[in-house]
Amino acid sequence: MKAIDKSDFSEFVDNLIEDDDREVVGVQKKDSKFAFDPLYESDDLRLDYDTTILPPKKYFMPQRETLIEYNIEKGETTPVNRVVPRIILGVHPYDLVAIGQMDKVFEDTHEDPYYLEKRRQSVLVGVNMENVSDKSFASTMGTATIDSGYDLMLTDIGDRYAIEVGSSKGSSLLEQAGAAVDDAKPEEIRKVKQFKEDLPEKFRSDPEFDPFELPSLLKEYYDNDEFWEENSEDCLSCGTCNLVCPTCYCFDVKDVNDISLSEGERMRTWDGCMLEEFAEVAGDENFREEKAARYRHRYMRKGRYMYNRFGDIACVGCGRCSEQCLPDIADPVDIFNQMKEGTS
Ligand code: SF4
Ligand code: SF4
């Protein structure tokens, strides 16, 4: 384990920002919330945030991106992959777990060069959570602390940051800090260990389920129409719970022609299974016309379908969905607790 004085860390970040090779993004305060955004000075970086509005997935899978440019008159198509090499500062462990899950998805079957190239050209600097959002249940989901999935991982230990190195990318980045980095002292290593041991107390204590019983609980509840109808009654089908989720990756692909109709772009944009038109197909059919069916699908995907395919529970407990759902019906803890209680 390494360590660096906080003042030296700020200087290190300022040097990275000045270096034009890579964009540096980090968590910053935006009004009363926090967000990942390009960083122009180290003073704006907030490593003590509780949660961000959107997860860092937006850097690997932007809300809108061009996949192909085409010219119909000339019969030409040009693949486009706009990759910005990036250093992302201050990623919480649950978001790093989610990125690891997304990597598996985009590497599976047909590798997705748009996502994967952006991932390859990014450096992830994590930070252990000092403050925890009221809605987060990451400790229940086993994502409050991690041993891998980052290039560097910081822990605030007072006047210094302890730094765990997780990859060769991380160690090359750290070399740029030069002599400011030294080996962590034994008491600093102990502080990090203690910090991680104390962390679970900061999270919600109301989850009553074990994440690995979710696949069987969800299987049991699949045909319980009344349960899904009652819980989804107030759903606005706005899709917010999908869009803010670090493990949701669905997208739509559309051709957007320019006004001359001779040129255009094939775009991909975020999509979400809670939106009414998500499962609409040709012939005016919709496989999930009822909001209860969409609501059920979202939970099945989080706790069962992804587990069956990749062995992962696709909820990392960040709490963003419940924080941002207007009618307050998107809290996974509420649904999973109800299931657990109903089967005990
Ligand atoms: S559960 Fe909430 S956030 Fe999700 S679609 Fe329904 S209203 Fe929107
Ligand atoms: S389902 Fe909700 S709590 Fe779970 S990872 Fe997605 S946004 Fe976070």
Side-chain angles (χ1 to χ4, degrees), residues 231-232 234-242 244 274-275 291 295 298-299 321-322 324-331:
N231 279 293
S232 65
D234 295 331
C235 179
L236 306 168
S237 300
C238 66
T240 301
C241 49
N242 295 135
V244 301
M274 295 296 277
L275 297 168
K291 62 184 175 185
Y295 190 90
R298 172 174 171 251
Y299 284 103
C321 53
S322 46
Q324 298 192 39
C325 171
L326 280 179
D328 194 14
I329 54 157
D331 183 2

Side-chain angles (χ1 to χ4, degrees), residues 29-245:
K29 191 137 198 201
K30 303 278 162 185
D31 301 320
S32 59
K33 305 219 178 242
F34 292 100
F36 284 95
D37 234 359
L39 196 61
Y40 299 108
E41 53 181 317
S42 62
D43 283 352
D44 293 336
L45 181 63
R46 289 290 301 270
L47 293 177
D48 61 342
Y49 72 99
D50 52 4
T51 192
T52 54
I53 304 166
L54 287 177
K57 75 172 178 186
K58 64 182 180 178
Y59 293 115
F60 314 121
M61 192 189 163
Q63 284 98 329
R64 283 168 70 82
E65 73 178 317
T66 306
L67 306 180
I68 291 171
E69 288 172 347
Y70 54 80
N71 186 310
I72 298 164
E73 279 172 6
K74 293 182 186 162
E76 287 174 0
T77 54
T78 313
V80 176
N81 190 2
R82 297 193 177 109
V83 181
V84 177
R86 228 177 235 122
I87 300 167
I88 305 178
L89 298 174
V91 187
H92 277 168
Y94 53 79
D95 275 336
L96 289 162
V97 172
I99 290 170
Q101 292 189 7
M102 297 264 281
D103 290 352
K104 286 189 206 170
V105 170
F106 284 103
E107 278 165 0
D108 189 53
T109 321
H110 298 290
E111 289 200 350
D112 184 304
Y114 297 96
Y115 173 93
L116 292 173
E117 198 47 38
K118 292 179 187 71
R119 272 288 285 119
R120 280 184 202 115
Q121 297 210 34
S122 63
V123 184
L124 297 174
V125 180
V127 65
N128 276 313
M129 275 171 278
E130 222 181 308
N131 293 306
V132 169
S133 136
D134 292 347
K135 302 284 188 183
S136 180
F137 52 102
S139 62
T140 299
M141 304 313 285
T143 62
T145 59
I146 49 172
D147 297 323
S148 60
Y150 51 80
D151 296 305
L152 295 174
M153 174 62 79
L154 308 172
T155 308
D156 188 332
I157 49 167
D159 295 339
R160 311 230 291 163
Y161 287 115
I163 309 174
E164 289 163 88
V165 180
S167 72
S168 52
K169 267 200 239 176
S171 82
S172 326
L173 187 72
L174 206 52
E175 274 169 23
Q176 294 186 41
V181 175
D182 52 21
D183 287 335
K185 298 175 189 76
E187 68 266 26
E188 292 178 326
I189 297 171
R190 271 197 297 278
K191 266 190 191 174
V192 173
K193 192 166 173 276
Q194 193 62 49
F195 185 98
K196 290 181 185 177
E197 280 172 15
D198 294 343
L199 198 56
E201 285 170 22
K202 296 187 179 178
F203 289 88
R204 290 169 66 170
S205 57
D206 57 337
E208 287 162 14
F209 55 88
D210 182 292
F212 288 98
E213 41 182 10
L214 296 177
S216 57
L217 283 176
L218 283 158
K219 188 174 179 199
E220 208 163 318
Y221 268 78
Y222 185 87
D223 289 323
N224 190 336
D225 294 343
E226 205 183 328
F227 177 82
W228 299 111
E229 276 158 20
E230 272 174 18
N231 279 293
S232 65
E233 208 172 348
D234 295 331
C235 179
L236 306 168
S237 300
C238 66
T240 301
C241 49
N242 295 135
L243 303 183
V244 301
C245 180

